[in-house]
Amino acid sequence: MRLHRLDITAFGPFGGSQSVDFDELSAAGLFLLHGPTGAGKTSVLDAVCYALYGSVPGARQTAQGMTLRSDHAAPATRTGVTLELTVAGRRLEITRQPPWERPKKRGTGTTLDKAQTWLREWDAAAGTWKDLTRSHQEAGEEITQLLGMSREQFCQVVLLPQGDFARFLRADAEARGRLLGRLFDTRRFAEVEKRLAERRRATETQVREGDAALLADAHRMQQAAGESMELPDLAPGDPGLADAVLSAAAVARSTAREQLTVAHSRLAAAESARAAADRALDEAREQDRLQRRFAEARERAARLEERAGAHQEAQRRMERARKAEAVAPALELRESADAEHRRATDAETRARALLPADLVDAGAAGLAVAARRAAEELGGLESARRAERRLAELLEERAGLDRQERADEEILQDAETWLAGWEETRTALQAAIDSAQQAATRAEQLAERREPARRRLAAARQRDELAADTEDAQRRALASAERAVQARTHWLDLKEQRLNGIAAELAASLTDGEPCAVCGSTDHPAPARKDAGHVDRAAEERALAEYQRAEELRAEDERRLGLAREALAAAGAEAGDTPTEQLAHALDELEQAYAQARGAASALHSAQERLRRAEHEHELRVSAQRDAAVRTAARVGHRERLERERALLEEELAQARGEAHSVAVRAAQLEESVARLTDAADAARAADDTAQRLKTADARLADAAFRAGFDTPQAAADALLDDVAHRELQRRLDAWHNEEAAVRAVLAEPETVAAAARPAADVVSAQRAAEEADRRVRAAASARDAAARRCTELDQLSARVAASIRRLAPLREEHDRVARMAGLAAGTAADNERKMRLESYVLAARLEQVAAAATVRLQRMSSGRYTLVHSDDRTGRGRSGLGLHVVDAWTGRERDTSTLSGGETFFASLALALGLADVVTDEAGGVRLDTLFIDEGFGSLDDQTLDEVLDVLDSLRERDRSVGIVSHVADLRRRIHAQLEVVKGRSGSVLRQRGTG
């Protein structure tokens, strides 16, 4: 990486634009950056870092770059840094501008512009710059990738801060580890340590959880085995837990199987005893049943003997009933014929009672003849019926014509009355419509004028309010501007007084034996003293804070004044010069006129609707009048036709109805006469037929009774049984026979007779013996089942425990392996002899490389006297592997770097910084660093050592490198001709290049 040009504007102490031509400074190989304290030497390096990474080193980067802006810059000048450099064979130009609070282009106050970034590359073929990106992120990624270093590494490798490396030499192992960790980014190794520790804890937790589950299963086995199992006195995670649980489980299973065998034997003996008791009980019950069966059969036989007479009488009654069943059909036929004859006789009597007196005693033939004559007369009345119905229709139709005539007369009279005033009504409605239309037109015109009048009145009122506000804002802005000027003058006076006495302030912090922060010397022969009017930093900062607050108030008051003026101008343009009262009066008159016109226009729709309804009514009235006249003319001819037809029908009906009131009445009389005569004839014929059938049935009944052996038909009827009585009698006979057969069968059974001859059976004693045997079997079975369940449960739990142990075996192996690796990485394992952590081991390797690279330059600077070596020894309770010693060739002894003097510490730290730069550069991918900066520390060297150091630095340009030394030591200005001087002033610092070109 080689720097070519740096342009700075309003950055840090530089109020204007400054440029640095690094190509001219680098031509000599070694150049000096010097200037008084506080002039801005470090700000030049900050500008380089800001251009590359968008931020400055250390605590100087705050508030997103807002503090990078120079307090000396003009308000309209924007802060910016442009750096032109070559890296990885590519010539780039990067420009960065931090956020900027600039004055507004219109009005007063300020506005915030966002940060800007431009990255360009020189196109040699085209001879122009080519834009690459304007994104902060993309530009930062591109620069970081090309340099191969983070901002922290860049600040340690390219901008070599000697104070940091002097502290590095004297620091303990922990402090060195933190610095090296930032430079070489060993966080991944610390992350490995953390991951291994987390993995160890995780596997340990899993193993403990597995052991806890294993112990829980062991407790379940103990509960299942009872008191025959003893658990090992071990906790989860203890070694040997699995083997102890397996041994205890094997003992419990063996004991449970022995108990199961004993239970099986006891159950078999109890079952044999129960079988014998059950057989004895069955025999006793059978003997008792047979004895009771024999006794019951004897009792039933005695009861049958007592009912023998009744049984014989029932047999005789059943015999007579069977004979009477042969006469039953004849009896049923005679009863049916008799009932039918009685019904026919009753019907004939009722029918003859309805006949005229001259036909009451007529026979069936005479009644049939009279019925035919009446039916013939009824058929002749059908034509008269139709005529009568037509006459009724004619009368109804004539009445309808009368109603229509009266309705048409009313319609004609109403239409003539309404149509007489039609023209007057239509004229009045049209006039109302015309008036409403004119009002609507006037309302639209007034509505267009309302809104502009309202806006103008509102603007006038706002104009009056803003005029007073603007005057107040102007007075406040003038007062705050005066206060800001006074505060700035006061602050600048105090700042100048402090700069004049800054030597006394720096001398106050000097300590005997400690190097000076300005020149690096440990001798302080004549430190400056503060005078009576000395201004310290706190007073200056208070004055600056007061000035900043006054400036903020001034800017805020000017912003408010500008807003008030803008609002006043906008309101004045809208309202004009007309007074507010006049505009308000004009708006009131306009509103009143608009309300009147709108009210009149609202009647337009109703007026149009009334006219439409009136015209529709006119059409209906004219149509109704015309239709009524047509109907009146048609009714005259229709009425004449109806009168002629009515006269003919009345003459025909007078002949047909005779003495009756109407044809319908005469027809009803004839229909009733025909029906009565026909019914009487049918009833007479039916009575004659049933009498003949009754006579035949009596003859058949007498013959059947005689053949069945009965003296009279009545005797046969008395012997006959109905179905219910017959079934009941047959049931009694069958029951007696069945009972007799059953009793004889029981009394003839050999086993029943033999059982009756033996003593009575004792069923109760046999029952108690069987129940006791069954109880013993249930108890033995319960004990056997409990033993079987215990064996099954122990087998299942044992299998579960064995599976858990097999499943935990790989996890135990992994835990042992991870715990061993975590202990090695953390430096706590016994195998780690130096107790060195993994990150420390990597950093120790890096420190060894840095020490080797630094020794090459340190031997030249110290004329071969000193050599830096790395040490793995552990110091106290700190970490080991990060020790750094110096070997003195004059004494041949190795001692700690903290024993070096001030000058020796400087060139040792310089050598260490250069060696570190070489190692970091190699790790970053071998990016060539053609420009380096070394900050302060040269004041602690004597002339000879200074020459040797400068020779070493001068040797860095052998490969076309350039080195910039940042110092205010006067002797260096005589030795180094190429110089970049920072000159400070009250309006800001400026840069001057000397000894170039």
Side-chain angles (χ1 to χ4, degrees):
M1 180 199 74
R2 176 179 292 277
L3 305 182
H4 298 293
R5 185 177 182 84
L6 175 66
D7 293 326
I8 305 173
T9 302
F11 185 88
F14 305 103
S17 297
Q18 305 294 324
S19 296
V20 180
D21 190 346
F22 285 108
D23 287 337
E24 293 184 357
L25 291 173
S26 301
L30 197 65
F31 63 90
L32 177 65
L33 174 59
H34 68 95
T37 301
K41 299 186 294 298
T42 306
S43 296
V44 176
L45 306 184
D46 288 347
V48 173
C49 185
Y50 178 74
L52 293 174
Y53 294 97
S55 60
V56 296
R60 296 190 294 278
Q61 174 65 24
T62 56
Q64 298 182 349
M66 296 295 291
T67 58
L68 299 179
R69 179 172 176 79
S70 176
D71 294 334
H72 304 282
T77 302
R78 176 156 191 175
T79 302
V81 176
T82 300
L83 177 64
E84 184 180 341
L85 74 159
T86 297
V87 58
R90 299 171 60 185
R91 185 154 183 162
L92 304 174
E93 180 191 76
I94 181 168
T95 301
R96 292 187 187 270
Q97 294 177 348
W100 180 38
E101 190 173 352
R102 62 169 178 81
K104 291 184 176 179
K105 296 180 180 179
R106 296 181 180 178
T108 59
T110 60
T111 184
L112 182 64
D113 285 348
K114 296 181 179 179
Q116 301 288 335
T117 301
W118 293 271
L119 179 60
R120 302 194 300 173
E121 183 175 5
W122 177 256
D123 188 349
T128 58
W129 289 100
K130 177 178 65 176
D131 290 335
L132 295 182
T133 181
R134 300 192 64 171
S135 168
H136 303 301
Q137 182 177 358
E138 292 178 359
E141 291 176 354
E142 181 73 15
I143 293 299
T144 303
Q145 183 177 3
L146 290 174
L147 291 177
M149 291 181 286
S150 64
R151 188 195 68 179
E152 290 77 11
Q153 290 176 322
F154 179 83
C155 294
Q156 293 288 345
V157 174
V158 179
L159 311 178
L160 302 178
Q162 294 308 302
D164 289 350
F165 283 95
R167 286 190 295 272
F168 181 81
L169 280 174
R170 300 186 179 94
D172 57 9
E174 293 294 333
R176 286 182 187 144
R178 288 192 295 270
L179 177 60
L180 293 174
R182 290 196 304 270
L183 290 176
F184 294 104
D185 192 14
T186 57
R187 289 175 297 178
R188 61 187 182 278
F189 300 103
E191 187 66 23
V192 169
E193 296 178 20
K194 180 181 177 182
R195 292 289 181 87
L196 286 174
E198 292 175 352
R199 183 58 182 163
R200 179 190 61 194
R201 289 191 292 271
T203 55
E204 183 179 2
T205 300
Q206 292 174 352
V207 169
R208 288 182 179 275
E209 291 176 353
D211 286 348
L214 187 63
L215 280 177
D217 290 337
H219 283 292
R220 296 189 187 97
M221 293 175 66
Q222 186 182 36
Q223 292 175 359
E227 300 297 331
S228 61
M229 180 178 176
E230 294 183 0
L231 291 179
D233 188 12
L234 296 173
D238 291 346
L241 177 63
D243 294 337
V245 172
L246 287 177
S247 299
V251 172
R253 291 198 305 275
S254 177
T255 303
R257 289 192 178 92
E258 293 176 357
Q259 294 174 352
L260 178 60
T261 302
V262 173
H264 274 300
S265 300
R266 290 177 179 174
L267 177 60
E271 288 177 346
S272 298
R274 184 181 64 178
D278 289 343
R279 287 193 299 270
L281 178 61
D282 292 340
E283 292 174 357
R285 286 175 176 172
E286 181 63 18
Q287 181 177 347
D288 180 69
R289 184 185 68 80
L290 292 175
Q291 289 176 348
R292 285 187 285 103
R293 180 179 174 83
F294 184 80
E296 290 174 358
R298 294 292 296 273
E299 292 175 0
R300 289 161 63 189
R303 286 194 296 270
L304 287 175
E305 186 65 26
E306 293 174 357
R307 298 198 306 268
H311 174 65
Q312 293 174 359
E313 179 61 28
Q315 284 182 328
R316 289 191 293 272
R317 180 78 178 89
M318 178 61 72
E319 184 65 24
R320 288 196 304 272
R322 288 195 182 99
K323 292 179 180 180
E325 287 179 356
V327 187
L331 284 171
E332 292 177 357
L333 179 62
R334 198 270 172 193
E335 290 177 357
S336 176
D338 183 60
E340 186 177 3
H341 179 63
R342 286 195 299 270
R343 288 193 299 271
T345 302
D346 293 341
E348 182 184 9
T349 301
R350 290 192 300 272
R352 287 183 180 276
L354 299 175
L355 296 178
D358 57 341
L359 296 176
V360 170
D361 297 329
L367 293 175
V369 172
R372 284 196 298 273
R373 287 198 300 269
E376 290 174 355
E377 184 179 359
L378 179 62
L381 291 178
E382 183 63 30
S383 175
R385 286 179 177 178
R386 291 193 297 269
E388 189 175 40
R389 287 194 296 271
R390 177 57 184 160
L391 180 61
E393 293 175 356
L394 290 177
L395 294 176
E396 180 63 27
E397 190 173 354
R398 189 176 65 179
L401 291 176
D402 294 340
R403 289 193 298 272
Q404 291 178 3
E405 184 175 4
R406 289 193 297 273
D408 288 342
E409 288 178 355
E410 292 177 359
I411 290 172
L412 288 172
Q413 184 177 1
D414 187 34
E416 290 176 357
T417 302
W418 192 90
L419 292 173
W422 163 243
E423 290 298 331
E424 183 178 354
T425 300
R426 187 176 64 81
T427 302
L429 292 174
Q430 187 62 44
I433 291 173
D434 295 341
S435 176
Q437 287 177 343
Q438 293 174 1
T441 302
R442 186 168 62 258
E444 291 177 359
Q445 295 172 352
L446 293 174
E448 294 176 356
R449 296 166 52 193
R450 286 171 66 221
E451 190 59 31
R454 288 177 177 175
R455 289 197 302 269
R456 191 176 180 187
L457 177 58
R461 289 170 177 170
Q462 188 178 14
R463 176 198 61 194
D464 297 344
E465 295 175 358
L466 291 175
D469 294 342
T470 302
E471 293 178 359
D472 294 340
Q474 188 172 6
R475 286 193 299 271
R476 288 194 298 271
L478 290 175
S480 60
E482 292 176 358
R483 288 193 296 270
V485 171
Q486 294 173 358
R488 177 179 173 82
T489 302
H490 178 62
W491 167 59
L492 291 176
D493 291 341
L494 291 181
K495 183 176 183 180
E496 187 174 3
Q497 293 176 21
R498 182 179 174 230
L499 291 176
N500 292 334
I502 194 67
E505 184 174 338
L506 293 174
S509 61
L510 293 177
T511 303
D512 293 338
E514 294 295 330
C516 174
V518 178
C519 66
S521 176
T522 57
D523 297 329
H524 318 299
R529 298 285 183 253
K530 296 181 180 180
D531 55 14
H534 177 73
V535 177
D536 58 3
R537 182 172 183 172
E540 180 190 354
E541 290 179 350
R542 286 194 300 271
L544 176 60
E546 293 176 359
Y547 161 61
Q548 289 175 344
R549 287 194 297 271
E551 186 66 21
E552 290 175 357
L553 290 175
R554 181 197 61 77
E556 180 63 20
D557 290 340
E558 289 183 355
R559 184 185 66 81
R560 291 177 180 175
L561 176 60
L563 293 176
R565 286 175 175 173
E566 291 177 0
L568 177 60
E574 179 71 20
D577 299 331
T578 306
T580 304
E581 294 77 6
Q582 183 178 350
L583 292 175
H585 180 69
L587 180 61
D588 291 340
E589 293 179 349
L590 181 62
E591 291 288 350
Q592 293 176 2
Y594 173 74
Q596 294 175 357
R598 184 180 177 86
S602 62
L604 175 61
H605 178 72
S606 59
Q608 291 174 341
E609 185 63 21
R610 288 196 301 273
L611 177 59
R612 185 189 64 77
R613 289 198 299 269
E615 290 176 345
H616 180 67
E617 181 69 16
H618 176 264
E619 293 176 358
L620 293 177
R621 298 281 185 172
V622 171
S623 177
Q625 187 181 35
R626 184 172 56 254
D627 294 342
V630 171
R631 289 195 298 271
T632 301
R635 277 195 300 272
V636 175
H638 190 194
R639 190 185 296 275
E640 293 176 356
R641 289 193 299 274
L642 292 178
E643 289 296 330
R644 288 193 298 270
E645 187 177 0
R646 183 183 65 79
L648 293 175
L649 292 174
E650 287 180 350
E651 183 180 356
E652 180 181 356
L653 290 174
Q655 297 176 357
R657 62 175 174 260
E659 297 179 357
H661 296 293
S662 64
V663 174
V665 173
R666 179 59 181 164
Q669 293 174 352
L670 291 176
E671 288 176 354
E672 183 179 3
S673 178
V674 170
R676 289 176 178 178
L677 289 172
T678 301
D679 292 341
D682 293 339
R685 286 193 295 269
D688 294 342
D689 294 340
T690 56
Q692 184 61 36
R693 286 195 295 272
L694 178 60
K695 185 177 180 180
T696 303
D698 286 338
R700 290 181 179 177
L701 176 61
D703 183 61
F706 178 75
R707 286 197 299 269
F710 293 99
D711 296 336
T712 62
Q714 185 62 39
D718 293 340
L720 189 66
L721 296 174
D722 58 15
D723 291 341
V724 176
H726 186 275
R727 286 193 299 272
E728 177 61 23
L729 182 59
Q730 185 64 45
R731 185 191 65 77
R732 287 160 49 195
L733 291 174
D734 293 341
W736 196 92
H737 285 296
N738 293 335
E739 181 69 9
E740 183 184 20
V743 169
R744 288 178 179 175
V746 172
L747 294 177
E749 293 175 353
E751 63 274 12
T752 304
V753 175
R758 291 194 293 270
D762 190 359
V763 179
V764 176
S765 298
Q767 178 70 33
R768 284 197 296 269
E771 291 176 352
E772 179 63 22
D774 185 65
R775 185 189 64 76
R776 292 191 183 118
V777 169
R778 290 197 301 272
S782 177
R784 190 274 316 273
D785 294 340
R789 286 195 301 272
R790 184 181 302 113
C791 288
T792 302
E793 187 173 359
L794 287 174
D795 290 340
Q796 293 175 352
L797 289 174
S798 297
R800 180 173 174 179
V801 166
S804 298
I805 292 173
R806 288 193 300 272
R807 187 173 60 255
L808 284 175
L811 184 59
R812 292 181 190 276
E813 294 177 359
E814 182 184 0
H815 171 63
D816 295 340
R817 184 173 59 256
V818 171
R820 186 168 58 256
M821 291 297 296
L824 286 173
T828 59
D831 296 341
N832 194 333
E833 297 178 355
R834 297 186 178 275
K835 305 300 180 183
M836 186 184 299
R837 290 170 44 199
L838 177 61
E839 184 182 13
S840 299
Y841 177 78
V842 175
L843 292 177
R846 296 300 191 198
L847 183 58
E848 189 173 2
Q849 296 174 353
V850 171
T855 297
V856 176
R857 295 184 176 88
L858 179 59
Q859 287 183 340
R860 290 188 59 187
M861 294 180 187
S862 63
S863 301
R865 179 179 179 183
Y866 294 117
T867 301
L868 283 175
V869 294
H870 162 253
S871 174
D872 288 335
D873 295 336
R874 187 175 184 182
T875 57
R877 305 180 70 178
R879 71 169 78 184
S880 62
L882 297 180
L884 193 62
H885 292 172
V886 62
V887 178
D888 190 345
W890 291 1
T891 63
R893 301 189 63 178
E894 181 178 323
R895 54 193 174 98
D896 194 84
T897 54
S898 61
T899 61
L900 295 174
S901 65
E904 291 172 339
T905 300
F906 166 71
F907 61 70
S909 62
L910 177 59
L912 185 65
L914 295 174
L916 180 63
D918 291 341
V919 174
V920 173
T921 301
D922 294 339
E923 187 181 80
V927 176
R928 179 180 173 84
L929 302 177
D930 296 323
T931 304
L932 297 176
F933 292 92
I934 301 175
D935 191 1
E936 288 298 350
F938 292 88
S940 60
L941 304 179
D942 56 26
D943 293 341
Q944 181 180 355
T945 305
L946 180 60
D947 290 338
E948 293 175 352
V949 170
L950 292 179
D951 290 340
V952 172
L953 295 178
D954 193 55
S955 66
L956 296 177
R957 62 177 180 174
E958 292 175 356
R959 291 181 292 177
D960 199 20
R961 279 187 177 179
S962 61
V963 179
I965 298 176
V966 183
S967 177
H968 54 256
V969 177
D971 192 36
L972 289 177
R973 289 198 293 269
R974 294 191 302 270
R975 294 171 180 264
I976 302 175
H977 301 288
Q979 299 178 8
L980 177 63
E981 182 182 5
V982 184
V983 181
K984 68 178 181 179
R986 187 160 186 168
S987 60
S989 299
V990 295
L991 296 174
R992 297 175 183 173
Q993 288 189 207
R994 297 178 179 178
T996 60

